Amino acid sequence: MECIFCKIVKGEIPSKKVLENDKFLAFYDINPVAPIHVLIIPKEHTEKFSDTPNEIFNEMAEFIKNVAKELNITDYRLITNNGKAAGQEVFHLHIHMVANPDGKLKWPKLV
Ligand code: 5GP
Ligand code: ZN
């Protein structure tokens, strides 16, 4: 069975898109933990950060900066949960971009 984010890339599952190019897609998280919560993914399936080729992150970093511009934010937090024990639930690489333009993000206690 194909992964849920691959289905979002194909449009088989709807998503609220923020930005897209031929290699990457940014869309709003369905269950936001902050006023802005966007997921940024490569269109090509890769499971997680640690098994993704380094080469992809150069272009992905550029794309992430463009997502921030699109959202009109300068301050944000990037998170990737790498593996089940780190909280990863969807095994298609994604970077969470979270922001609170009117305030401050907490730094939560994680354990
Ligand atoms: P993880 O825990 O793997 O780092 O994060 C997975 C994220 O994907 C969660 O924040 C969850 O809310 C989000 N998510 C799961 N399914 C969907 C979906 O079908 N659509 C959208 N937009 N987000 C999803
Ligand atoms: Zn996938």
Side-chain angles (χ1 to χ4, degrees), residues 40-42 46-49 52 57 60 80 91-94:
I40 298 156
I41 65 170
T46 165
E47 256 199 18
K48 56 185 175 180
F49 175 82
T52 301
F57 291 109
M60 196 166 179
T80 193
F91 285 83
H92 180 130
L93 172 67
H94 53 283

Side-chain angles (χ1 to χ4, degrees), residues 2-7 43-46 91-92:
E2 203 166 41
C3 105
I4 186 165
F5 286 178
C6 280
K7 285 184 177 166
K43 289 188 170 177
E44 195 170 316
H45 182 91
T46 165
F91 285 83
H92 180 130

Side-chain angles (χ1 to χ4, degrees), residues 11-85:
E12 292 170 9
I13 293 175
S15 68
K16 199 175 163 206
K17 290 178 188 177
V18 175
L19 192 67
E20 180 174 20
N21 68 16
D22 56 331
K23 290 186 180 146
F24 303 100
L25 172 66
F27 56 99
Y28 286 98
D29 196 292
I30 206 168
N31 187 19
V33 299
I36 294 177
H37 187 172
V38 169
L39 301 173
I40 298 156
I41 65 170
K43 289 188 170 177
E44 195 170 316
H45 182 91
T46 165
E47 256 199 18
K48 56 185 175 180
F49 175 82
S50 57
D51 57 19
T52 301
N54 292 347
E55 294 69 50
I56 202 173
F57 291 109
N58 197 20
E59 274 184 275
M60 196 166 179
E62 175 79 21
F63 183 79
I64 290 169
K65 290 173 190 174
N66 289 335
V67 172
K69 282 183 197 149
E70 184 67 27
L71 293 166
N72 213 15
I73 56 171
T74 55
D75 299 5
Y76 49 86
R77 188 174 299 160
L78 302 175
I79 302 155
T80 193
N81 295 322
N82 189 73
K84 199 172 178 199

